[in-house]
Amino acid sequence: MKNRKILLSENEIPEKWYNIIADMPNKPLPPLHPGTLEPIGPEALAPLFPMELIKQEVTTDKWVDIPDEVRNIYSLWRPTPLYRAYGLEKALDTPAKIYYKYEGVSPSGSHKPNTAVAQAYYNKQEGVKTITTETGAGQWGSALAFACNHFGIKCEVYMVKLSYDHKPYRKTMMNTWGAKVFPSPSEATAIGRKILAENPNTTGSLGIAISEAVERAASDEHTKYALGSVLNHVKLHQTIVGQEALKQLEKAGDLPDIVIAPFGGGSNFAGLAFPFLRLNFEQGKNIRCIASEPSSCPKLTRGEFRYDFGDTGGMTPLLPMYTLGHTFVPAPIHAGGLRYHGAGVIVSQLLRDQLIEAVAHDNLEVFEAGVIFAKAEGIIPAPEATHGIATVINEAQKCKEEGVSRTILFNLCGHGNFDMKAYEDYFSGKIQKHELSDAEIKASLAQLTTPTI
Amino acid sequence: MKNRKILLSENEIPEKWYNIIADMPNKPLPPLHPGTLEPIGPEALAPLFPMELIKQEVTTDKWVDIPDEVRNIYSLWRPTPLYRAYGLEKALDTPAKIYYKYEGVSPSGSHKPNTAVAQAYYNKQEGVKTITTETGAGQWGSALAFACNHFGIKCEVYMVKLSYDHKPYRKTMMNTWGAKVFPSPSEATAIGRKILAENPNTTGSLGIAISEAVERAASDEHTKYALGSVLNHVKLHQTIVGQEALKQLEKAGDLPDIVIAPFGGGSNFAGLAFPFLRLNFEQGKNIRCIASEPSSCPKLTRGEFRYDFGDTGGMTPLLPMYTLGHTFVPAPIHAGGLRYHGAGVIVSQLLRDQLIEAVAHDNLEVFEAGVIFAKAEGIIPAPEATHGIATVINEAQKCKEEGVSRTILFNLCGHGNFDMKAYEDYFSGKIQKHELSDAEIKASLAQLTTPTI
């Protein structure tokens, strides 16, 4: 009987996070103040984040120690298993060797707690009493609720009203871990009250929810804000995923030719890929790292590299990123975690320097891939994860056509237990192929008045 | 950092199932034909089950080989982790050492695939093309759909219409693995059509769903039926759980004083407890094994030991069991897997011989226990599992009161990802304490005309 799973013991949980900035040939350009267009320093972030996370946001140190207390909470589910996908290989009849790192074993069901626990820890260290955040479908809010509960920090989640009403299970999950969940816009903030007064029946948006969470954090010295992707420190925390995978593949006597992960803001991809890119930098390896994005939100494959705002409302500093324009509204696909207009600055710079690749997949193609995977391997993947699986299937088919065996690793970043409605829509034919025209992208980018690069 | 998880490698998956009948001082009484009241032989089961499962149903061999192909599919999620519950111990401030075996890592999220995979395998071996079953909330149907998919067997699930309409996620899960799911009563069977003609708006019942699944199996020679608990062979397959836990505790240098598991039909409890009862039989150990049942369906603690039917409709042979009467209708608690009027024959005999214990917990008490667990350990437990947790908490508190450290092991048989509505009802005060009067139980038992023992 061939072993499917490669496991690590808890004392093999990595002791440091890997900071790719130290190894990048071209460092990311600085964020700019939107008024002066001058580079801004870390102090601008102080009202929202604890100092240790701000330091991590700007550090150029190659390794950052993981506190013992964070590793201790990680051990509730980490190290996560690495699977050899024998079932998928057989279903695809491919000579490729396919491995997947399974992050769905965390209590909230995805990779998100890797950074949520770290962020909650540093907030606790600096005496923060409450952390606020926004959530769309609820994956990030759940992870932060779980993390805050462990450190006895209050957690306030502003959940887009449409999701709050339509996806109550995620809300209840957050409640179970003690978080307070507000339908956004809410009466709890000035911006929320203003929007409700103007439009009492609004279903909200992620942009509004961010504004509410930020307002609450900025208005109370014991309250801070947390973000689940995009920022450098979030990517840093996620590198635990790739580091474990590297150890596990070494145990299997293997090294990937191709590393694949879904792409939303970048932390999922960064988490798995950066520790393998390190081998490219340090040892001259040539591991291809591919980011898989939805074709309805194709900032990496069809966006522009320029300065843009990180949020819809234009409140953040200007960031150098691949973007579709901060007012771009992606189609309402089920992979809510990938519906973001821009890419984090590190990943954007890496793509610009052709050190990583990106591909886009259509909405129908990814569910087809998800069902193939579920039948072959058992686990039903989250809609975000199916994007990576679609890329894996394409690469495995190329191996077959070329008669070459390559080793492929991908991030199964979460299970689909809370996303069965998406599969139901797929089975009942409600999911349509969505073609985004060049004109639509051009029109969105044309609205930008931010600096080009 | 203390290790939370005790892991086994795939080659440590047990190679045999343990059959407790071989060690029982008093063997279970025989099943009786309801007409003649004569003992019936295994041949009576032939229209419904493959011969190898019927042999397992009646075997007195102490060990039954697990086929390699079954172990190979088990390896998709087995061995499951054993956790030391440091978080729960701290939350309860108890000197007890608490361990839990976590079966929620299976693709369908519970222990049910342990027997579903084995049953699908033996059906495949005997050329069966289709397996039918019934499901209430969907946990068992999901497990069988998953298992049938792996062996290329068609799976037909008759899902109680109320659940079909109210719990669509489980249905979609089954569809993802290729199963056909019918709202029961359905147009697919004679009994379904008859009931629909009489009452087109019926919401169905588990009894009707069983009748439909059995009718389909009995009417086609290539179609068989599968059951998810109660029967001896189902309990046999589940002993993989306790055998793994025993190995894991040996690695930790520990042995439980108390073993606890939720009780519905008996396979969950049997799976964890029987391998520890073996030590009582073989080595004279004194491990207490406690079955945790809902106080709204208390067959073990308040039922009568006598012959009764296994199904509501009175179609099965008569079985010697603790029962509340086969027409007893339990309150609609959220732990759907525990709403069964009787207990499997092996467990019933063990309880009668005082070789195991049973306790009952109220509906409110178990959700309180579930939330304590979720906050302390991260994982949100299935409502069925919270019954065991309530017993664990009571025993841990006794340890504290007595100033004694005991080692407690329990079966965290599944996660609550598909049960968040139950938690929502709990948080919003919709779950009421349910007192079952002696008169209600007496009235239900008074309807029985089956033989007493």
Side-chain angles (χ1 to χ4, degrees):
Chain A
M1 213 174 78
K2 295 176 293 187
N3 271 10
R4 294 179 190 270
K5 298 184 291 293
I6 301 145
L7 303 175
L8 299 176
S9 64
E10 287 170 32
N11 52 31
E12 291 175 288
I13 294 176
E15 295 180 2
K16 293 171 193 296
W17 292 299
Y18 167 60
N19 179 19
I20 199 172
I21 290 176
D23 285 329
M24 288 170 72
N26 298 313
K27 310 300 177 197
L29 299 172
L32 303 182
H33 187 282
T36 65
L37 301 186
E38 292 296 318
I40 59 160
E43 68 287 350
L45 299 169
L48 294 185
F49 300 102
M51 199 41 65
E52 197 59 32
L53 288 177
I54 295 172
K55 281 187 198 160
Q56 291 182 357
E57 187 64 21
V58 297
T59 184
T60 55
D61 292 350
K62 184 159 174 172
W63 298 100
V64 176
D65 286 337
I66 307 178
D68 276 351
E69 216 170 324
V70 172
R71 292 177 74 237
N72 181 31
I73 299 181
Y74 279 170
S75 76
L76 279 165
W77 74 98
R78 305 207 72 85
T80 60
L82 181 79
Y83 277 82
R84 173 77 185 269
Y86 287 115
L88 184 61
E89 290 173 20
K90 194 177 160 196
L92 300 175
D93 188 25
T94 175
K97 290 163 77 174
I98 305 175
Y99 292 91
Y100 59 95
K101 181 73 169 161
Y102 184 37
E103 290 291 303
V105 294
S106 81
S108 67
S110 82
H111 63 297
K112 292 286 185 191
N114 296 329
T115 184
V117 169
Q119 292 191 48
Y121 169 80
Y122 291 115
N123 274 284
K124 181 72 178 181
Q125 290 297 103
E126 298 183 26
V128 173
K129 304 290 183 215
T130 303
I131 302 179
T132 66
T133 200
E134 71 286 340
T135 201
Q139 189 61 268
W140 165 242
S142 307
L144 191 66
F146 160 77
C148 285
N149 166 65
H150 268 277
F151 290 105
I153 300 172
K154 285 183 199 160
C155 182
E156 281 184 15
V157 181
Y158 293 84
M159 187 173 188
V160 177
K161 189 164 187 306
L162 189 73
S163 296
Y164 184 94
D165 291 339
H166 289 189
K167 299 187 172 177
Y169 288 7
R170 278 283 175 195
K171 176 189 51 152
T172 305
M173 186 174 225
M174 295 183 248
N175 293 150
T176 306
W177 287 317
K180 221 167 157 180
V181 186
F182 298 87
S184 170
S186 75
E187 294 286 350
T189 65
I191 180 86
R193 288 187 294 272
K194 179 167 177 287
I195 291 166
L196 284 173
E198 288 164 4
N199 184 358
N201 297 320
T202 177
T203 53
S205 74
L206 206 54
I208 296 170
I210 293 174
S211 300
E212 291 202 83
V214 166
E215 179 190 317
R216 279 282 295 126
S219 64
D220 180 330
E221 63 169 323
H222 298 300
T223 300
K224 298 282 181 188
Y225 168 74
L227 199 65
S229 188
V230 181
L231 296 180
N232 298 353
H233 67 269
V234 182
K235 294 197 184 88
L236 178 77
H237 300 153
Q238 291 292 355
T239 60
I240 190 136
V241 177
Q243 289 188 74
E244 282 182 8
L246 181 58
K247 277 193 202 185
Q248 287 163 310
L249 283 168
E250 279 169 2
K251 286 202 177 189
D254 232 330
L255 191 71
D257 298 297
I258 306 172
V259 175
I260 294 166
F263 197 92
S267 74
N268 184 334
F269 173 78
L272 186 67
F274 286 4
F276 291 93
L277 287 172
R278 179 173 72 80
L279 303 188
N280 290 358
F281 292 131
E282 284 181 1
Q283 303 172 19
K285 301 274 185 206
N286 194 20
I287 301 167
R288 292 173 57 204
C289 294
I290 310 176
S292 308
E293 65 181 4
S295 57
S296 57
C297 191
K299 59 255 186 182
L300 296 177
T301 52
R302 296 171 75 189
E304 183 182 342
F305 183 74
R306 66 179 292 164
Y307 274 100
D308 196 5
F309 292 102
D311 68 322
T312 309
M315 316 267 286
T316 70
L318 292 168
L319 302 169
M321 49 157 64
Y322 278 92
T323 180
L324 296 163
H326 63 276
T327 57
F328 179 80
V329 180
I333 60 168
H334 283 289
L338 308 185
R339 295 179 68 234
Y340 183 68
H341 69 277
V345 298
I346 297 176
V347 177
S348 291
Q349 186 64 46
L350 290 169
L351 183 65
R352 182 171 163 84
D353 291 340
Q354 300 186 320
L355 297 171
I356 62 170
E357 304 170 39
V359 294
H361 295 286
D362 184 76
N363 212 13
L364 273 177
E365 187 188 358
V366 297
F367 278 100
E368 195 183 302
V371 173
I372 288 171
F373 185 83
K375 288 193 168 185
E377 293 288 322
I379 301 163
I380 301 178
E384 289 80 4
T386 61
H387 289 73
I389 297 170
T391 308
V392 170
I393 292 176
N394 286 352
E395 292 294 331
Q397 281 168 341
K398 275 186 218 162
C399 288
K400 189 179 174 183
E401 287 158 19
E402 298 170 21
V404 181
S405 172
R406 296 192 189 95
T407 299
I408 301 172
L409 166 68
F410 75 96
N411 199 9
L412 186 64
C413 56
H415 61 63
N417 288 354
F418 290 90
D419 305 287
M420 296 315 296
K421 177 69 168 62
Y423 281 88
E424 197 185 320
D425 285 353
Y426 170 65
F427 290 129
S428 61
K430 281 186 202 155
I431 289 179
Q432 304 295 324
K433 192 165 169 158
H434 179 265
E435 295 280 1
L436 191 65
S437 71
D438 288 336
E440 283 175 275
I441 294 174
K442 215 171 155 185
S444 175
L445 288 168
Q447 292 181 39
L448 293 183
T449 56
T450 54
T452 55
I453 298 169
Chain B
M1 213 173 77
K2 296 176 292 186
N3 270 11
R4 293 179 190 270
K5 298 185 290 293
I6 301 146
L7 304 175
L8 299 176
S9 64
E10 289 171 31
N11 52 30
E12 292 174 289
I13 294 176
E15 295 179 2
K16 294 172 191 295
W17 292 299
Y18 167 61
N19 179 18
I20 198 171
I21 290 176
D23 286 329
M24 288 170 72
N26 298 313
K27 311 298 178 198
L29 299 172
L32 302 182
H33 187 283
T36 65
L37 299 187
E38 293 296 317
I40 59 161
E43 67 287 349
L45 299 170
L48 294 184
F49 300 102
M51 198 42 65
E52 196 59 33
L53 288 177
I54 295 172
K55 281 187 197 160
Q56 291 182 358
E57 187 64 21
V58 298
T59 184
T60 55
D61 292 350
K62 184 159 174 172
W63 298 99
V64 176
D65 286 336
I66 307 178
D68 277 350
E69 217 170 322
V70 172
R71 291 178 74 236
N72 181 33
I73 298 181
Y74 279 171
S75 75
L76 279 166
W77 74 97
R78 305 208 72 84
T80 61
L82 181 79
Y83 277 83
R84 173 77 186 268
Y86 286 115
L88 184 62
E89 290 173 19
K90 193 176 160 197
L92 299 175
D93 188 24
T94 175
K97 289 163 77 174
I98 305 175
Y99 292 91
Y100 58 96
K101 182 74 169 158
Y102 184 38
E103 290 290 303
V105 294
S106 81
S108 66
S110 82
H111 63 296
K112 292 286 184 191
N114 296 329
T115 184
V117 169
Q119 293 191 50
Y121 170 81
Y122 292 114
N123 274 283
K124 180 73 179 181
Q125 289 298 103
E126 299 184 25
V128 173
K129 305 289 183 213
T130 303
I131 303 179
T132 66
T133 199
E134 72 287 339
T135 201
Q139 190 61 268
W140 165 242
S142 308
L144 192 66
F146 160 77
C148 285
N149 167 65
H150 268 276
F151 289 105
I153 300 172
K154 285 182 197 160
C155 182
E156 282 184 14
V157 182
Y158 293 84
M159 186 172 187
V160 177
K161 189 163 187 306
L162 189 73
S163 296
Y164 184 94
D165 292 338
H166 288 189
K167 299 187 173 178
Y169 288 7
R170 278 281 175 197
K171 175 189 54 151
T172 305
M173 185 175 227
M174 295 183 248
N175 292 151
T176 306
W177 287 317
K180 221 167 156 179
V181 186
F182 299 86
S184 170
S186 76
E187 295 285 348
T189 65
I191 179 87
R193 288 187 294 272
K194 179 167 177 286
I195 291 167
L196 284 173
E198 289 165 2
N199 184 359
N201 298 320
T202 176
T203 53
S205 74
L206 205 54
I208 296 171
I210 293 174
S211 300
E212 291 202 85
V214 166
E215 179 191 318
R216 280 283 295 126
S219 63
D220 180 332
E221 63 169 322
H222 298 299
T223 300
K224 298 283 181 189
Y225 168 73
L227 199 66
S229 188
V230 182
L231 296 179
N232 298 353
H233 67 271
V234 181
K235 294 197 184 87
L236 177 77
H237 300 153
Q238 291 294 355
T239 60
I240 190 132
V241 177
Q243 289 187 73
E244 282 183 8
L246 181 57
K247 277 193 203 185
Q248 287 163 311
L249 283 168
E250 279 169 2
K251 285 201 179 192
D254 230 330
L255 190 71
D257 299 296
I258 306 172
V259 174
I260 294 166
F263 197 93
S267 73
N268 183 334
F269 172 78
L272 187 67
F274 286 5
F276 291 93
L277 286 172
R278 179 173 71 81
L279 304 187
N280 290 357
F281 293 131
E282 284 182 0
Q283 302 171 18
K285 301 273 185 206
N286 194 20
I287 301 167
R288 292 173 58 204
C289 294
I290 310 176
S292 307
E293 65 181 5
S295 57
S296 56
C297 190
K299 59 254 186 184
L300 296 177
T301 52
R302 298 172 72 189
E304 183 181 343
F305 184 74
R306 66 179 293 164
Y307 274 101
D308 196 4
F309 292 101
D311 67 323
T312 309
M315 317 267 288
T316 69
L318 292 169
L319 302 169
M321 49 157 63
Y322 278 92
T323 180
L324 296 163
H326 63 277
T327 58
F328 179 80
V329 180
I333 58 167
H334 284 288
L338 309 185
R339 295 180 67 234
Y340 183 69
H341 69 276
V345 298
I346 297 175
V347 177
S348 291
Q349 187 64 48
L350 290 169
L351 183 65
R352 182 170 162 85
D353 291 340
Q354 300 185 320
L355 297 170
I356 62 170
E357 302 171 38
V359 294
H361 296 285
D362 184 76
N363 212 13
L364 273 178
E365 187 187 357
V366 298
F367 278 100
E368 195 183 303
V371 173
I372 288 171
F373 185 84
K375 289 194 167 183
E377 292 287 321
I379 301 163
I380 301 178
E384 288 81 3
T386 61
H387 289 73
I389 297 170
T391 308
V392 170
I393 291 175
N394 287 352
E395 291 294 332
Q397 281 168 342
K398 274 185 220 162
C399 288
K400 188 179 174 183
E401 287 157 20
E402 298 170 21
V404 180
S405 173
R406 297 193 189 95
T407 299
I408 302 171
L409 167 68
F410 75 98
N411 200 8
L412 186 64
C413 55
H415 61 63
N417 288 353
F418 291 91
D419 306 288
M420 297 314 297
K421 177 69 169 63
Y423 282 88
E424 197 187 318
D425 285 354
Y426 171 64
F427 290 129
S428 61
K430 281 185 200 155
I431 289 179
Q432 303 295 324
K433 192 165 170 160
H434 178 267
E435 295 280 2
L436 190 66
S437 71
D438 287 338
E440 283 174 275
I441 295 174
K442 214 170 155 186
S444 175
L445 288 168
Q447 291 181 38
L448 293 182
T449 57
T450 55
T452 54
I453 297 170

